[in-house]
Amino acid sequence: MSVNIFPGKDVQDFLRVIANLDGAGGNERAKAIVHRIMSDLFKTIEDFDMTPDEVWVGINYLNKLGSENEAALLAAGLGLEHYVDMRLDAEDAALGITGGTPRTIEGPLYVAGAPEQKGKARLDKNPDADAGPLRIHGTVTGPDGAPVADALMEVWHSDSKGFYSHFDPTGRQSEFNLRGAIRTGADGRYEVLTRMPASYGCPPSGATQTLLNALNRHGNRPAHVHFFVTTDAFRKLTTQFNIEGDPLVWDDFAFATREGLIPPVVERTDGHGVGFEEATYRDIEFNIELTPKVAGKDNQIVERARAAA
Amino acid sequence: MPNSLASSPADAPDIDAASFAGVLRVLPHRAQDLARLAMLRGGGAPVVTVIGKYNHGKSRLLNELMRRDAFAVADRRETVCLSECLHAGVRWLDAPGLDADVAGADDRHASTALWVHADVRLFVHSVKEGELDAAELALIEALRTDAVRTCRKALLVLSQADQAGEGAALDRVVSAIAAQVPDMPRHLVSATRHRQGMEAAKALLVARSGIPALEAALSDALACVGQARAHETELLAGEMRAELEAIALGQATALKALRQREADQRRAFEAELSALLETIGGEMAAVVDAPGPDLALVADSAGTRYATTAAKQERARVQVAYSRACIRIDALLAGHGVSGLPRAQETAAASLNTVMVAVMGVSVKFRADLRRLFCTALGRARLHADFAYYFDLSKDRLRLRGEIAAAAAAREAAIEARMALPAPETGA
C-alpha cells in the first residue's frame, strides 16, 4: 500500500536528527552531505513504494559488495568515476584550460613501485601465447609543444586473460609483469615494448556484474593501457588509451573512453629492429601533452588507497 | 661394591629401546612392558628384587644372602637409588624404600626394579612394625596378580624376627599377617641371628634364623625363571601383537571408509558439474545461435557515447547470459566448498579470489568464445577439468586427504611395529 509521509514534519525532523544537523560538533560538510543522501534515499523508498524486503536486499548487497572488495568496480560501473571526470573537465573549461591529453579514470589496479628505466622499457616478463607484440612510443610535451625531459611515465595493462600482475588469481604472472616506469630523456621521448592487452570485464559471478544483470548491462571494458605522467612543472596526468578496433571502444561499462584516447594501431614488420623476437608487431604512437598547474598548484591530484609492491 | 644406578640402564624403560621404538610410538602406554620385553630378550642373569618399606631390614637381609656387606645399612632411609650386586649368578636389586612420601625418581627406580627387572620379588616386612599396612597390602596384591599373569614368583619375607619380642607377641603378629594374606607363604627371618650363627658357627642358630629356608625357597623360584621368562615373553609379545593387529585393522577399516568418502564426494561433484555444464551448454547454444549478424562485434562511435544502441544491447544480452551461467556454476562450487581460491593463489583484490575468476578469466566473451567454452564437448571437458582441479585443492578435500594419509601412516606403523615384536612360538 502506497503511503505519503516523506514531506511530513516527522520525517523531515527525523532526517535532521539522523545527520545531527541541529546538534553541535562533527563535520558540518559531512552532516549536510549525509542529510542530502539520506533524504534522497528516503524519498526514493517512498516514490517507488519499496518493500522492506527490497530495502534489505539492498543492505545485504552492500555487505556482499564489500566482502568482495568490489565497491570501486561498482563506482566505475555506475559512472561515479566518470562523473567526477566530467566535473573536472567542466572546471577546466571554466578556468579556460584547454588542450592537453584528456584525463580519464585510474581504475583500481595500479601498483606503486615499478622499477624505473630511462627512455625505454620492456614490460613483458612472462610468455603469453595469446598476446602479440605491441610497441608504444611517443613524446611528452608541455602546453607550448616543447619536449618535457625527466617526465615519469608509469604504464600498466592486462595480459590476454584480462589479468594484471599482482592481481592474477592463476598465479601465472611475476611481479610488475606488464608494468613499468620510464623516465623521458632530453627529447621527451619514451618507448615501451610489451604484449597486447585484452578487453576484460567484471568477475562474471561477482557483486558488480550481479547488479548490472538486473539492469541488463554488461560489465566489460575495451582493451586499454593505463598511464600516470608525473613531472615537477605540470599537472599529473592520469589517463589510458583504448586499443583501436576493439568493438567495446565506445561501449565501456566504466565510461572511460574519450576522443583523443584511441590512437591508431599500425601493423609493422621491423620487429627485430626495435627489439622484438617477432618481425610483425602492432605499433601505437601515443603523444602526451601536459597541462599547466593552476596558480602554481596541481588541482587534479587524487588521493586514494593504492597498492604498492 | 654396590653399584648405584641413578640413571640407565636400571631406571630406563629404554633398554634396547631402539628395536622397539616403533612399537613404543604406536603403544606408548606399553612403555614398561616393552622395557621388560627388551630385558627378557637380552637374557642375562636372573634378577631378584627386594622391595619393602625403608628400615624394614631389606639391605641387611640382602647382605646375609650375599654373605658379605654389599649393601649399605642404616637406621635412616638409606636406599634412595637402586643398588645392585651380582652374587651366585643372580643379580640382586635393592629397591628404594617403598613409602608413601617417596615420589619422583625414587618411585621410578623402585617401579623399574620391581616391574622391569625382577624375575623374583622378595617383599620384606619387619614384624616389629606389626601387621601389613594398606600400601604394603596393595603392592602385595599387585605382585600376586602379576605372578599369576607372568609366572614371576613373589615371596613374602617377615624380617627382624629377633626384634618383635618373644613367643606370644611374635606369634600374634605373624598370625595377624597370615590372616591378611592367607594364601601366601611367609618366611620369618632374622638377619641378626643368621649373622651371629655364621660368625659363631652355630648351625642351630643359623637354621633358626630362617635364612636357609628362605634360600631354599629362592632357589626353587630361581629354578623356574627360565620357563617363566619364556612364558612372559610370549605373553607380552602376544598381547602387544594382538593390540597392534587390532589397531592396524581399525585403521584399515577407517582408511577404507575415508577413501570411499573421497571417491563418493568426487563422484557427486563431477556428476553435478557435468549435468549443469550440459544444461548450460544447451541454453548457451540458444544465446549464441541468434539469427542475423553479430552486432556485438560492430564498434559504436563517440556520438553514441551516452545513447543506447543495438550493438550495446547485443553485447549486454550475451554478457548477462554468460554471467548468469557463471553464477549457477558458482552456486554449485559453493555447495561443494570450492568457491574460494586456494590461499596460495589469493591476490590483493578480493574480487578476483574466486575459483570462478581463476578458471574463466575476466576477458570479454563474445559469441565465438561462449560457443567454444560451453557448446562443444571439448570446451565443457576443459571447464570440467579446470573446476575439478580446484575441487581437489579445496579445504575440505585437503583435510580429507590429510586424514587418509594419517590413517595410512598409522596402519603402516602398526604393521611395522608388529613385525618388530618377537614372533609367536611355533605351535604355540
Side-chain angles (χ1 to χ4, degrees):
Chain A
M1 190 180 77
S2 186
V3 295
N4 181 23
I5 64 167
F6 183 78
K9 184 174 184 308
D10 276 358
V11 172
Q12 292 305 312
D13 287 351
F14 180 34
L15 281 162
R16 296 185 74 80
V17 168
I18 289 168
N20 195 24
L21 272 194
D22 305 317
N27 181 312
E28 291 307 321
R29 185 171 164 78
K31 288 169 160 184
I33 290 171
V34 168
H35 180 258
R36 169 64 76 82
I37 289 173
M38 292 315 297
S39 297
D40 290 350
L41 182 56
F42 281 17
K43 189 155 189 335
T44 303
I45 289 171
E46 179 141 300
D47 288 352
F48 290 88
D49 194 20
M50 286 174 70
T51 66
D53 287 358
E54 286 172 327
V55 171
W56 279 104
V57 165
I59 292 166
N60 292 333
Y61 177 78
L62 289 181
N63 272 335
K64 177 176 161 68
L65 186 70
S67 73
E68 294 177 9
N69 214 0
E70 283 203 3
L73 209 50
L74 186 69
L78 293 183
L80 265 179
E81 211 174 351
H82 180 58
Y83 180 64
V84 171
D85 261 359
M86 289 167 88
R87 286 180 46 77
L88 289 176
D89 285 349
E91 275 176 29
D92 275 1
L95 287 166
I97 299 173
T98 54
T101 303
R103 84 178 65 74
T104 192
I105 64 172
E106 173 183 331
L109 301 175
Y110 168 78
V111 176
E116 190 182 311
Q117 279 156 291
K118 194 84 182 168
K120 182 171 180 173
R122 179 86 189 234
L123 304 192
D124 53 317
K125 296 179 170 61
N126 309 116
D128 188 346
D130 297 328
L134 170 66
R135 175 173 175 258
I136 305 165
H137 58 98
T139 307
V140 180
T141 59
D144 56 359
V148 177
D150 290 330
L152 185 67
M153 305 278 300
E154 288 178 275
V155 189
W156 69 101
H157 65 83
S158 79
D159 70 0
S160 67
K161 295 181 177 55
F163 291 132
Y164 288 74
S165 61
H166 301 264
F167 300 99
D168 185 342
T170 67
R172 278 190 282 250
Q173 296 189 61
S174 30
E175 275 205 335
F176 292 109
N177 185 44
L178 310 182
R179 296 174 186 272
I182 302 100
R183 187 74 71 175
T184 57
D187 56 1
R189 293 194 57 77
Y190 76 94
E191 183 181 357
V192 165
L193 299 185
T194 187
R195 316 297 292 186
M196 191 60 96
S199 53
Y200 67 88
C202 300
S205 53
T208 302
Q209 183 61 56
T210 300
L211 187 142
L212 293 175
N213 286 349
L215 310 179
N216 197 30
R217 279 185 53 198
H218 67 72
N220 293 332
R221 304 203 58 206
H224 56 274
V225 177
H226 295 267
F227 291 89
F228 278 158
V229 187
T230 313
T231 60
D232 291 333
F234 304 99
R235 295 198 295 189
K236 175 177 173 176
L237 176 65
T238 300
T239 194
Q240 45 182 285
F241 68 66
N242 292 325
I243 304 294
E244 187 192 45
D246 190 314
L248 286 147
V249 153
W250 287 106
D251 186 18
D252 178 0
F253 101 107
F255 308 98
T257 310
R258 305 191 58 158
E259 284 165 297
L261 294 179
I262 315 170
V265 179
V266 181
E267 187 172 302
R268 299 181 61 154
T269 53
D270 60 336
H272 301 303
V274 301
F276 283 124
E277 293 71 30
E278 304 93 331
T280 305
Y281 66 99
R282 310 274 165 169
D283 189 273
I284 293 176
E285 182 174 0
F286 185 55
N287 295 313
I288 304 281
E289 184 190 324
L290 298 174
T291 51
K293 292 181 177 175
V294 176
K297 282 188 177 170
D298 187 339
N299 65 332
Q300 293 185 347
I301 282 288
V302 176
E303 294 300 338
R304 56 186 275 185
R306 295 185 173 99
Chain B
M1 281 304 290
N3 182 14
S4 179
L5 298 169
S7 58
S8 64
D11 76 330
D14 60 8
I15 310 160
D16 194 21
S19 57
F20 293 139
V23 185
L24 185 61
R25 271 197 294 279
V26 183
L27 304 176
H29 58 285
R30 287 283 197 166
Q32 190 164 275
D33 286 338
L34 285 167
R36 176 64 184 158
L37 196 58
M39 284 282 303
L40 291 167
R41 271 231 304 211
V47 176
V48 176
T49 296
V50 181
I51 186 87
K53 301 183 84 167
Y54 84 88
N55 227 357
H56 277 228
K58 294 196 304 295
S59 303
R60 196 174 291 275
L61 171 66
L62 269 171
N63 288 338
E64 289 314 300
L65 294 171
M66 304 290 101
R67 300 290 190 274
R68 58 194 166 103
D69 289 338
F71 294 89
V73 175
D75 278 345
R76 62 195 172 77
R77 192 167 157 236
E78 183 74 21
T79 314
V80 290
C81 295
L82 187 59
S83 302
E84 74 167 61
C85 194
L86 197 63
H87 172 73
V90 174
R91 266 177 77 213
W92 303 82
L93 300 187
D94 188 1
L98 166 80
D99 291 286
D101 62 341
V102 174
D106 292 349
D107 252 4
R108 278 204 303 283
H109 293 315
S111 172
T112 302
L114 197 54
W115 302 107
V116 177
H117 291 260
D119 291 301
V120 175
R121 290 77 167 243
L122 290 186
F123 188 98
V124 178
H125 171 81
S126 170
V127 286
K128 79 174 181 196
E129 301 296 333
E131 56 186 47
L132 299 161
D133 71 11
E136 290 175 307
L137 276 171
L139 182 55
I140 287 170
E141 186 52 38
L143 290 175
R144 295 178 68 194
T145 305
D146 182 70
V148 172
R149 198 173 100 84
T150 66
C151 295
R152 287 190 279 185
K153 296 261 189 312
L155 305 180
L156 175 57
V157 180
L158 303 178
S159 64
Q160 299 175 336
D162 54 292
Q163 294 178 42
E166 283 304 317
L170 177 62
D171 289 347
R172 266 201 309 281
V173 172
V174 172
S175 301
I177 292 171
Q180 285 182 299
V181 283
D183 306 329
M184 199 167 183
R186 294 157 300 275
H187 301 274
L188 184 64
V189 301
S190 164
T192 306
R193 278 184 197 141
H194 184 258
R195 176 62 60 99
Q196 288 166 352
M198 292 298 283
E199 282 173 0
K202 292 180 177 170
L204 192 61
L205 196 55
V206 169
R208 277 188 55 218
S209 74
I211 298 289
L214 173 62
E215 285 177 329
L218 260 176
S219 177
D220 290 347
L222 286 167
C224 300
V225 163
Q227 216 175 351
R229 283 185 169 186
H231 164 80
E232 200 184 356
T233 301
E234 179 46 29
L235 172 81
L236 295 179
E239 282 180 353
M240 285 188 273
R241 278 198 307 269
E243 214 174 320
L244 291 167
E245 279 160 17
I247 289 171
L249 185 66
Q251 292 296 349
T253 308
L255 196 57
K256 199 174 164 208
L258 287 167
R259 288 200 168 123
Q260 185 65 47
R261 197 198 310 167
E262 186 188 33
D264 289 348
Q265 283 180 357
R266 171 99 189 193
R267 204 168 13 249
F269 174 75
E270 296 206 7
E272 284 178 44
L273 183 62
S274 289
L276 180 58
L277 288 176
E278 209 53 50
T279 306
I280 288 172
E283 291 170 2
M284 203 58 85
V287 172
V288 299
D289 291 340
D294 185 356
L295 293 176
L297 299 175
V298 181
D300 294 286
S301 64
T304 58
R305 181 189 315 181
Y306 300 125
T308 300
T309 67
K312 289 181 186 177
Q313 293 282 88
E314 172 58 15
R315 281 188 284 268
R317 184 183 75 86
V318 170
Q319 171 64 25
V320 169
Y322 167 60
S323 166
R324 294 207 162 117
C326 290
I327 288 169
R328 283 166 73 185
I329 296 171
D330 194 40
L332 186 154
L333 296 178
H336 289 270
V338 193
S339 190
L341 203 60
R343 190 166 291 268
Q345 282 176 238
E346 282 184 1
T347 77
S351 59
L352 300 175
N353 294 338
T354 64
V355 166
M356 179 59 65
V357 168
V359 169
M360 306 305 300
V362 287
S363 59
V364 175
K365 309 294 190 286
F366 292 97
R367 285 187 191 183
D369 301 305
L370 295 178
R371 196 174 284 120
R372 177 175 49 78
L373 282 168
F374 293 106
C375 306
T376 66
L378 182 62
R380 286 194 296 270
R382 277 192 187 144
L383 289 178
H384 191 109
D386 285 352
F387 286 121
Y389 168 79
Y390 285 104
F391 174 73
D392 273 336
L393 290 181
S394 66
K395 282 195 195 102
D396 289 352
R397 294 290 285 180
L398 290 178
R399 193 180 310 119
L400 186 54
R401 278 210 294 285
E403 286 173 30
I404 287 171
R411 178 174 168 272
E412 202 59 36
I415 290 169
E416 274 177 27
R418 190 198 171 286
M419 294 193 319
L421 286 172
E425 279 177 42
T426 28

